Amino acid sequence: MPSPTETPQKYVIRYGDREFQYRLTYRADSKKAAIRVHVHPNGNVEVEAPRYASLPEIKAAVQRRARWVLKHLDDIEERTRHVQPRQWVSGESLLYLGRRYVLKVINDPEQRKVTCKLIGGQLRVQGKELESRTDTEGCPRLV
């Protein structure tokens, strides 16, 4: 019987000619016997099971819900199909803590570390070689 503190395991379910991956976690509270399936807005599928549930029982429960999961994954794909990738350039609009800010990218070849500051209505990111960077290390997590 797995421990609830174990790292989540990843599994794949096949439904017809399609398949999806899900992450299995065990709940510590054994009061609820239900095996829960969550489809997160980012497309990740998570399955929560009571710690006493066997793996074949969990896989059967996920298989029964596979059509429902794939429908939600299709909906997510449809919603995100026309969304353009974010451009990390000056003038881009970003949401942070429920407010909209304008991004200001400042290239500073002398600066070793990327810094990020909120000044007025601007989110100022300063560092070297920012045009070629795709990460946002040093900045708050942006939505």
Side-chain angles (χ1 to χ4, degrees):
M1 187 173 318
S3 152
T5 58
E6 263 184 29
T7 57
Q9 297 293 316
K10 293 191 177 193
Y11 297 94
V12 175
I13 283 287
R14 178 172 279 295
Y15 185 78
D17 61 344
R18 297 181 62 191
E19 60 182 37
F20 63 90
Q21 185 176 9
Y22 65 92
R23 191 180 67 164
L24 173 61
T25 57
Y26 289 94
R27 287 192 313 272
D29 66 337
S30 59
K31 295 176 185 173
K32 301 198 179 200
I35 295 171
R36 300 177 187 159
V37 179
H38 305 282
V39 179
H40 296 283
N42 62 1
N44 290 339
V45 180
E46 182 180 6
V47 176
E48 292 180 348
R51 63 186 147 158
Y52 57 81
S54 68
L55 190 56
E57 184 182 7
I58 294 167
K59 286 184 174 185
V62 175
Q63 189 69 46
R64 284 192 303 272
R65 294 175 179 97
R67 186 173 71 186
W68 177 86
V69 169
L70 288 170
K71 178 190 176 304
H72 283 289
L73 291 174
D74 289 344
D75 291 347
I76 290 168
E77 184 182 336
E78 182 62 34
R79 280 194 306 269
T80 59
R81 181 175 314 213
H82 303 292
V83 175
Q84 294 185 0
R86 178 144 327 268
Q87 299 285 319
W88 296 100
V89 295
S90 290
E92 181 75 19
S93 179
L94 301 169
L95 282 176
Y96 177 62
L97 296 177
R99 292 194 52 203
R100 188 165 300 281
Y101 294 94
V102 176
L103 180 64
K104 175 76 174 171
V105 178
I106 303 167
N107 259 326
D108 185 355
E110 303 296 318
Q111 192 166 342
R112 292 179 22 194
K113 193 173 169 185
V114 175
T115 61
C116 189
K117 296 179 184 176
L118 278 174
I119 300 174
Q122 287 186 337
L123 181 64
R124 294 187 182 185
V125 179
Q126 189 168 349
K128 68 177 179 181
E129 299 176 10
L130 290 176
E131 288 90 17
S132 61
R133 294 182 68 139
T134 57
D135 65 336
T136 56
E137 189 177 319
C139 289
R141 180 166 166 78
L142 304 172
V143 178

